[in-house]
């Protein structure tokens, strides 16, 4: 994928910038997309989500779930059991992120591969220069 050839004027650049800002505003932080990916397995309780994400604190998880609920990616369901059961699940709207997540995953895999390859190359060059 190379640079786009189309000419961009100030209006299209501004519109593009605003659209990206809007997307990043909704999906900002290191937890929102992993949270969505975690919920792709199906409805989960708070503690299950926290375990699947690992290092997230309950306070941050609660905030992220509320943000995702406000932006219509997650629905919170309360069941009147004793004790009360609360689950979180993805809304149909969350499927609109599928391509974004796929592209980010693919790019992330390629990026990691590139870094590992370059580190190996740098290590080999460093090893060769020390033996000279």
């Amino acid at each position: 994928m190379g640079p786009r050839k189309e000419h961009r004027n100030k209006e299209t650049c501004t519109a593009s910038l605003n659209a990206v800002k809007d997307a990043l505003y909704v999906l900002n932080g290191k937890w929102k997309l992993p949270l969505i990916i975690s919920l792709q397995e199906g409805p989960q309780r708070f503690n299950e989500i926290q375990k699947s994400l690992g290092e997230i604190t309950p306070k941050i998880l609660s905030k992220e779930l509320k943000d995702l609920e406000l932006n219509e990616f997650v629905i919170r369901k309360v069941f009147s059991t004793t004790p009360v059961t609360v689950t979180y699940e993805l809304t149909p709207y969350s499927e609109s992120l599928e391509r974004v997540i796929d592209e980010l995953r693919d790019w992330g895999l390629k990026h990691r591969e590139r870094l590992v390859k370059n580190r190996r190359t740098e290590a080999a060059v460093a090893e060769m220069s020390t033996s000279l």
Side-chain angles (χ1 to χ4, degrees):
M1 183 174 109
R4 292 192 177 165
K5 304 261 185 203
E6 61 195 60
H7 177 71
R8 298 208 181 238
N9 60 32
K10 185 172 174 81
E11 291 80 27
T12 50
C13 283
T14 300
S16 183
L17 179 63
N18 288 337
V20 169
K21 281 181 176 180
D22 289 346
L24 290 176
Y25 178 78
V26 171
L27 300 171
N28 70 346
K30 73 179 199 178
W31 295 111
K32 288 208 178 66
L33 288 173
L35 216 166
I36 289 169
I37 292 167
S38 173
L39 287 171
Q40 286 177 336
E41 294 176 19
Q44 295 180 48
R45 296 175 70 170
F46 189 91
N47 288 339
E48 294 170 320
I49 298 167
Q50 188 177 8
K51 281 180 191 169
S52 74
L53 294 177
E55 304 166 2
I56 192 167
T57 65
K59 182 178 177 181
I60 298 295
L61 178 55
S62 179
K63 179 199 172 300
E64 299 293 85
L65 285 166
K66 284 177 188 168
D67 286 352
L68 289 171
E69 192 176 0
L70 285 171
N71 286 290
E72 301 178 359
F73 292 112
V74 170
I75 188 165
R76 180 179 185 263
K77 290 187 176 180
V78 180
F79 300 92
S80 55
T81 56
T82 306
V84 172
T85 302
V86 178
T87 63
Y88 297 87
E89 65 183 86
L90 296 177
T91 64
Y93 179 62
S94 69
E95 291 176 18
S96 65
L97 291 172
E98 214 165 282
R99 282 186 25 222
V100 173
I101 291 169
D102 288 347
E103 288 293 325
L104 280 170
R105 183 197 61 243
D106 292 348
W107 183 86
L109 290 169
K110 288 175 189 169
H111 180 66
R112 179 180 298 261
E113 209 174 274
R114 175 188 169 103
L115 292 178
V116 168
K117 179 183 169 193
N118 287 341
R119 285 185 188 135
R120 277 193 214 131
T121 304
E122 288 171 8
V125 168
E127 190 177 306
M128 286 176 60
S129 64
T130 57
S131 65
L132 292 178

